[in-house]
Amino acid sequence: MIRHIARTLLGIALTYAGITHLTSSRQEFQAQVPTILQSQADFVVIASGVVEILLGLSLILLIKYRTRIGWITAAFFIAIFPGNISQYINGTDAFGLNTDQARAIRLLFQPLLVIWALWSTGAWTSYRTKKK
């Protein structure tokens, strides 16, 4: 039951974040796009927003495929980590992260999102069970 709630909350959070990528926080998210992709920042933000919405809704609705979606969600969190690193390295202010300390603390939370995705979907447990 706790995993179901955690998976649903993660799904809601991802769906909400994806919607804000496309609407109210679009410029804030563009500030996090790594320097190498700055010329395509708007596309990166829109594409990642669409992916977040799809992942969020999938976590909530596609329970039968939850372990696969868990792995995909974890991979997504790893894929967007360079944006967080770029924000830290470049000292970019966005989402109230206006100090190096605040940006560094945020970096520590990304692995927790990966763990959340794997744990709440049972992906890690499924993997360990198959290995035995």
Side-chain angles (χ1 to χ4, degrees), residues 61-123:
L61 301 173
L62 301 179
I63 296 168
K64 179 179 177 182
Y65 302 102
R66 69 183 178 276
T67 56
R68 289 181 190 159
I69 296 166
W71 285 110
I72 294 167
T73 303
F76 175 76
F77 287 139
I78 293 167
I80 63 171
F81 192 56
N84 298 341
I85 293 170
S86 176
Q87 183 180 13
Y88 174 76
I89 290 171
N90 295 317
T92 306
D93 294 347
F95 297 108
L97 302 174
N98 55 7
T99 66
D100 285 343
Q101 181 181 5
R103 289 184 284 270
I105 290 170
R106 180 178 185 197
L107 291 176
L108 300 175
F109 281 97
Q110 201 72 13
L112 295 177
L113 290 172
V114 172
I115 292 167
W116 186 359
L118 296 176
W119 175 79
S120 69
T121 60

Side-chain angles (χ1 to χ4, degrees), residues 11-73:
I12 291 168
L14 275 170
T15 303
Y16 175 77
I19 291 168
T20 62
H21 271 69
L22 306 178
T23 58
S24 62
S25 298
R26 198 155 157 183
Q27 287 184 327
E28 296 275 343
F29 282 111
Q30 287 177 7
Q32 295 178 290
V33 174
T35 309
I36 195 167
L37 297 172
Q38 272 303 312
S39 65
Q40 300 166 340
D42 195 45
F43 171 77
V44 170
V45 170
I46 291 170
S48 62
V50 169
V51 170
E52 282 185 333
I53 291 168
L54 292 173
L55 286 173
L57 292 175
S58 295
L59 284 167
I60 296 166
L61 301 173
L62 301 179
I63 296 168
K64 179 179 177 182
Y65 302 102
R66 69 183 178 276
T67 56
R68 289 181 190 159
I69 296 166
W71 285 110
I72 294 167
T73 303

